[in-house]
Amino acid sequence: AVPSNIMAKAQLPKNHSRSRNKTRMLFFCLFVVACYRHLASCVGGCTDSLQLRDELRQTRDKAQKLAAANCHHLTSHLRDKSLPEEQRKEMELLWVAFSSSLELLHADMCKVFNMGDIFSLANSAVFVQTGIQGGGSEVAARALSMPDLNQAQSPVLPEGLETQERSTMEQEISQVDHMITDMEMKVNVLRWMVESRGPQYAEPLNSTDSASLALLSMDEEQPGAEHEAARHHSQMLMMLLLLAVILLAAALSVSVVIFS
Amino acid sequence: MTIKNAMRDHGQRYRPRMACLKKVGSAVLLEMQDPKTGVKSQLQRLVITTIPHAITGEDIVAWLANKFNISAEEGRSLGTMLVALGYIYPLQDHKRLVVKPDASLYRFQTPYFWPAQQWPVEDTDYAIYLAKRNIRKKGILELYEQEQYNHLHKWMNHKWDFIVMQAKEQYRAGKERKKPDRAVFDCQERAYWVVHRPPPGTVSGMDYGLDRLIDPNAEEVTETDLIFLTFLWLPSLSCFLPRVKSSVSIGALVKFVTTHKNHDPFLAQCLPSNPWVTDDVSYWTLNMANVEIPTKMRVERWTFSFVELLEDPRGRDDFRFFLKKEFSGENLAFWEGCEDLKWGAAAGMSEKAQHIYKTFLARGAPRWINIDGTTMEATVRGLKHPHRYVLDAAQTHIFMLMKKDSYGRYLKSQVFKDTTKNAINPEEQKFTDAQLDQNARNRRPSLSPIAIRQMELEQKAKLAASGPVDITQVMSKLSKQGKDAPPPPPPKK
């Protein structure tokens, strides 16, 4: 249910199926990168645990698989010299988006790696009391529920030793680094020629709970949410009062007419 | 490093002041947040739920003062530094990054958002953050954020689809979390961006000056460098280094310090108040270049040396006025002309040199200066092929003349005595906290350098127009008048 829901909400350009495939793949990649960021923000906090690290690892693996698939497809298409101009422009857009998401992923991976240095699971007393109470499991579930585009994903059990995981992570970071370098070497996309097609402001999603979230956060920049509700109420009252007065006047005039 | 970093880096990835972040983060903060020995944490009560791990300002200050054995005021400023750097963020009044020693609440920032030396803050992330805020509630961005957003949209246009998509994805992923966690994460992110993209008119704790080419945390000098220095480079230099006895140089330093120590705004008081501390600019307005009445300290500085008098524009005006009374203003005018030639634009240099020659050096010139024969010959010869420093010798001669002769007379003159008498001595002004806040809010940018330069040029033009009279002009006028009419009084201008 989750994947189809998300697919419905996603804005996909109506083009021919090959590029729509690309967009879908890119979309999944972005999706997982966003989830990874949310998980990474919990590292070192009071909810950091073996489970979180495991979720991070799984999300990371997924992101890398998607990234590799995307990279392969985009590179092969852009190196194809016979690509028509319109398609090439689209590919370049996707390319820029993909490379930016790779950079984000790389930055997040580096941060998680470095934070793992300071906040190792063995010494859990140093975890910072950040006020977060739940873990990142919901976000991880969301990330991992994406359809896998390259066949089966074998769920690997977490390795017991942290050091092994760290060396694996180092390798993965350098892999992503190489991927980025490779991409730049193989295809020459002139970034200043690429023009975005989307809107400048992201469309606000229909979120009914944004108002309640506003009530939750104690910031003064949003007193408008509550005040607006109050203003609305006062407006309704005024309208009712006016209606009542009009009715009264009508009744009085009718009675005057009848009794005169 | 990745292509991305290499492209923008140019090797300048070390930001000097940020070397302190490692120490602050790992040392102080981890001890502070220890549930047993750290700062006491409480629950933050909100409308619907409670969120743990909130700490009060007074607890922070007390803990710091206790731990480091310092006064409460110092603890407060240390706490403010922690907040300004972004390790702790305030829950109320989130834009003011200070520690208030009362019951106002703070919370520790998650390590992901800690400031780090090796990762400069990315504009892409900022754009995604602003886009996310706009998704949450349209039109919520403040004016400066709006401007930044538009600016980024222009400069990162190629990535903009990515930014919008990623903002949506991060927003949706965030919605998966529980409500209290979402609120905390939003606060964390907002605090992070208040630190790294401060609203206009606030001071950023992240100001660090220029980037450096070497890592301040790395080892200083390597073996090979040492060998190179001691055996190859220094010996060859030492033949040409000018040598001064240390007793002489140290004596000069000591003399400088003893004369200037009461005038230094760090070592002595800065009257009426130090603008960098209290945000009150009266000190600067009282000491502007073209002020009518100088301050006593400024006038005292003029007595230290002739150079001080000439460097200070107000002092130079005073000196010029004195020389006008004595009819020897041509020396100063010549000196100023030489300075103009030395430091001015290369375009009109030869014309300037010719003008100076005609006005000051030629035989029978209107403002002829008195320099000795050899210098005059050398200067005239040099003027055939004028360059910037062609009048250097003459200028030095005139400078020494003024210093030995006119300067001494100036210090004993009536003009100087009047100036000293009229000089003001501003009282020290103390500000209450509320007034300090108001000063901070009323900070305005000073006059732009372009405006100041224009004022200077206007003044110079005025001076040139009202050509001051010198003795030769007066004499020539007198001789022209002949003996028919009584000699007119020297024209007062």
Side-chain angles (χ1 to χ4, degrees):
Chain A
V2 170
S4 56
N5 223 2
I6 291 164
M7 292 286 287
K9 281 190 196 166
Q11 295 173 350
L12 300 169
K14 311 179 204 36
N15 268 320
H16 80 66
S17 60
R18 197 163 56 163
S19 66
R20 206 166 71 188
N21 225 359
K22 300 294 159 309
T23 325
R24 264 183 66 208
M25 280 173 41
L26 176 67
F27 169 74
F28 295 150
C29 189
L30 286 183
F31 183 76
V32 178
V33 168
C35 295
Y36 190 73
R37 174 161 283 207
H38 269 277
L39 289 172
S41 74
C42 294
V43 171
C46 46
T47 51
D48 198 356
S49 62
L50 193 60
Q51 191 191 7
L52 180 74
R53 301 292 174 100
D54 188 41
E55 285 161 359
L56 273 169
R57 192 185 49 79
Q58 289 182 9
T59 318
R60 199 164 52 234
D61 287 340
K62 181 125 196 178
Q64 281 179 74
K65 284 205 188 72
L66 286 166
N70 258 308
C71 181
H72 178 71
H73 276 106
L74 280 176
T75 324
S76 62
H77 276 283
L78 274 174
R79 279 165 81 83
D80 176 14
K81 301 249 192 272
S82 63
L83 203 60
E85 191 55 40
E86 185 54 40
Q87 276 198 29
R88 177 161 281 273
K89 278 203 160 48
E90 270 193 55
M91 284 289 139
E92 287 187 346
L93 256 180
L94 294 177
W95 172 269
V96 170
F98 175 60
S99 70
S100 317
S101 73
L102 261 193
E103 283 172 5
L104 273 194
L105 180 67
H106 184 268
D108 280 344
M109 280 167 71
C110 284
K111 274 196 184 166
V112 169
F113 181 68
N114 275 348
M115 288 196 290
D117 254 343
I118 310 173
F119 301 97
S120 88
L121 286 171
N123 179 19
S124 63
V126 298
F127 287 165
V128 181
Q129 319 248 309
T130 51
I132 301 270
Q133 289 158 289
S137 342
E138 308 91 1
V139 182
R142 181 183 160 94
L144 299 171
S145 66
M146 287 312 307
D148 202 3
L149 295 160
N150 304 342
Q151 288 88 39
Q153 167 194 334
S154 52
V156 178
L157 287 168
E159 331 250 290
L161 303 165
E162 233 174 293
T163 46
Q164 209 166 3
E165 185 182 320
R166 283 178 61 70
S167 65
T168 331
M169 202 164 168
E170 253 181 301
Q171 277 177 7
E172 290 175 351
I173 292 181
S174 69
Q175 264 177 20
V176 174
D177 205 0
H178 278 139
M179 203 187 304
I180 300 179
T181 328
D182 258 349
M183 276 171 59
E184 291 297 324
M185 292 296 134
K186 285 193 184 143
V187 179
N188 183 23
V189 169
L190 304 172
R191 280 177 169 75
W192 59 87
M193 297 285 291
V194 176
E195 272 184 46
S196 74
R197 295 186 180 179
Q200 181 178 352
Y201 288 95
E203 298 307 314
L205 306 164
N206 54 340
S207 43
T208 49
D209 59 352
S210 68
S212 61
L213 195 58
L215 284 177
L216 196 60
S217 52
M218 273 182 72
D219 46 52
E220 312 87 72
E221 72 177 357
Q222 293 206 9
E226 289 193 282
H227 286 178
E228 269 188 33
R231 230 184 294 140
H232 205 60
H233 278 145
S234 62
Q235 274 180 0
M236 294 291 289
L237 265 158
M238 292 296 290
M239 296 286 288
L240 281 172
L241 208 60
L242 203 61
L243 267 171
V245 166
I246 291 175
L247 278 171
L248 199 62
L252 277 172
S253 56
V254 161
S255 58
V256 160
V257 161
I258 291 180
F259 286 118
S260 65
Chain B
M1 267 280 101
T2 61
I3 291 273
K4 158 197 89 165
N5 279 345
M7 277 201 310
R8 250 180 296 133
D9 236 352
H10 308 295
Q12 291 178 337
R13 58 188 78 107
Y14 302 111
R15 301 171 289 153
R17 244 192 82 193
M18 300 292 104
C20 71
L21 291 175
K22 234 191 272 185
K23 301 175 195 168
V24 175
S26 46
V28 178
L29 212 80
L30 293 180
E31 290 196 28
M32 266 183 90
Q33 62 79 40
D34 191 315
K36 292 186 222 63
T37 59
V39 187
K40 214 168 21 146
S41 79
Q42 351 178 306
L43 291 176
Q44 176 198 13
R45 270 165 238 290
L46 292 177
V47 181
I48 305 175
T49 175
T50 57
I51 303 182
H53 309 145
I55 46 182
T56 57
E58 51 198 5
D59 281 341
I60 295 177
V61 175
W63 188 90
L64 284 169
N66 192 21
K67 166 100 177 118
F68 293 113
N69 219 0
I70 50 179
S71 68
E73 205 180 315
E74 209 179 326
R76 184 176 166 184
S77 52
L78 187 60
T80 306
M81 186 187 83
L82 287 175
V83 175
L85 286 178
Y87 286 101
I88 302 177
Y89 60 95
L91 295 174
Q92 301 125 340
D93 199 5
H94 63 272
K95 286 204 199 134
R96 281 201 60 207
L97 300 175
V98 290
V99 156
K100 294 191 235 187
D102 51 20
S104 40
L105 293 173
Y106 296 82
R107 190 171 276 135
F108 294 109
Q109 179 68 283
T110 183
Y112 181 78
F113 284 134
W114 280 3
Q117 185 185 359
Q118 63 266 50
W119 298 303
V121 173
E122 295 284 344
D123 278 328
T124 318
D125 292 333
Y126 189 47
I128 295 176
Y129 162 69
L130 290 178
K132 256 200 291 192
R133 284 208 24 220
N134 203 56
I135 295 177
R136 183 169 139 199
K137 184 166 180 209
K138 203 169 172 66
I140 201 182
L141 293 180
E142 303 206 15
L143 189 61
Y144 74 94
E145 288 172 335
Q146 197 82 270
E147 285 174 7
Q148 297 258 30
Y149 194 69
N150 295 339
H151 175 81
L152 288 170
H153 176 70
K154 183 172 161 208
W155 288 105
M156 294 208 291
N157 195 280
H158 59 278
K159 287 195 193 178
W160 208 256
D161 288 338
F162 161 72
I163 285 172
V164 167
M165 280 200 288
Q166 178 73 292
K168 277 201 211 143
E169 285 319 308
Q170 285 191 8
Y171 181 71
R172 284 193 193 121
K175 275 170 68 172
E176 297 289 325
R177 303 173 83 163
K178 301 194 189 64
K179 279 223 182 98
D181 289 347
R182 231 193 311 163
V184 172
F185 179 73
D186 284 339
C187 286
Q188 286 172 348
E189 210 183 0
R190 183 182 64 184
Y192 177 73
W193 289 113
V194 167
V195 169
H196 291 278
R197 293 283 184 268
T202 54
V203 179
S204 163
M206 290 288 135
D207 276 337
Y208 60 81
L210 298 171
D211 286 331
R212 284 176 63 169
L213 293 174
I214 45 173
D215 184 0
N217 289 331
E219 286 302 308
E220 280 277 345
V221 184
T222 62
E223 288 259 339
T224 47
D225 283 347
L226 263 176
I227 295 171
F228 184 64
L229 267 177
T230 45
F231 294 112
L232 296 173
W233 194 54
L234 277 181
S236 56
L237 265 197
S238 59
C239 311
F240 304 106
L241 286 175
R243 279 176 164 70
V244 178
K245 271 169 80 166
S246 56
S247 57
V248 172
S249 55
I250 293 174
L253 272 174
V254 168
K255 183 162 164 228
F256 183 85
V257 172
T258 39
T259 45
H260 282 92
K261 73 172 177 227
N262 290 332
H263 294 259
D264 189 295
F266 281 123
L267 300 175
Q269 258 185 350
C270 184
L271 305 167
S273 65
N274 193 330
W276 294 108
V277 174
T278 60
D279 291 319
D280 172 52
V281 293
S282 40
Y283 176 72
W284 288 333
T285 41
L286 285 174
N287 283 314
M288 288 218 312
N290 47 6
V291 74
E292 272 294 317
I293 305 176
T295 58
K296 268 209 168 46
M297 300 294 274
R298 200 173 180 182
V299 175
E300 198 185 320
R301 272 201 290 273
W302 300 344
T303 63
F304 289 160
S305 82
F306 185 49
V307 176
E308 290 264 1
L309 176 69
L310 279 189
E311 295 285 297
D312 190 354
R314 183 66 184 77
R316 207 191 284 188
D317 285 345
D318 223 38
F319 191 54
R320 198 179 299 126
F321 183 57
F322 163 73
L323 289 177
K324 196 160 83 167
K325 284 209 156 149
E326 293 218 330
F327 300 108
S328 51
E330 70 270 8
N331 289 336
L332 185 61
F334 174 71
W335 186 87
E336 283 185 331
C338 292
E339 286 287 291
D340 189 33
L341 184 70
K342 265 205 303 204
W343 304 111
M349 224 164 44
S350 45
E351 284 91 34
K352 263 191 229 164
Q354 285 306 314
H355 176 75
I356 292 177
Y357 174 72
K358 273 200 284 260
T359 325
F360 296 100
L361 297 168
R363 237 181 304 210
R367 306 181 75 180
W368 190 77
I369 54 166
N370 195 358
I371 50 179
D372 64 298
T374 35
T375 325
M376 180 67 96
E377 259 188 57
T379 313
V380 168
R381 236 180 305 130
L383 276 169
K384 286 208 191 78
H385 305 279
H387 57 90
R388 241 172 240 284
Y389 304 103
V390 64
L391 300 169
D392 227 12
Q395 186 186 5
T396 320
H397 183 97
I398 290 291
F399 180 81
M400 296 311 287
L401 191 68
M402 285 198 290
K403 180 169 159 183
K404 292 204 176 90
D405 186 25
S406 316
Y407 182 53
R409 274 186 286 128
Y410 167 73
L411 290 179
K412 299 196 195 86
S413 71
Q414 190 59 34
V415 172
F416 184 65
K417 287 205 181 77
D418 286 338
T419 316
T420 330
K421 202 163 53 165
N422 294 334
I424 50 179
N425 203 0
E427 287 291 316
E428 192 203 342
Q429 194 176 13
K430 288 217 181 287
F431 291 93
T432 63
D433 273 348
Q435 284 172 324
L436 283 177
D437 279 346
Q438 195 173 27
N439 287 347
R441 250 172 285 153
N442 290 346
R443 254 185 283 177
R444 295 275 168 270
S446 58
L447 276 181
S448 91
I450 302 177
I452 294 180
R453 178 93 184 115
Q454 259 184 330
M455 288 197 318
E456 279 177 18
L457 288 173
E458 279 171 28
Q459 248 201 336
K460 243 192 259 185
K462 236 192 293 176
L463 259 183
S466 74
V469 175
D470 301 308
I471 197 84
T472 41
Q473 282 185 323
V474 174
M475 291 310 290
S476 60
K477 273 216 169 77
L478 284 177
S479 60
K480 274 198 213 124
Q481 294 281 338
K483 294 177 181 80
D484 309 357
K492 284 199 183 63
K493 275 266 160 71

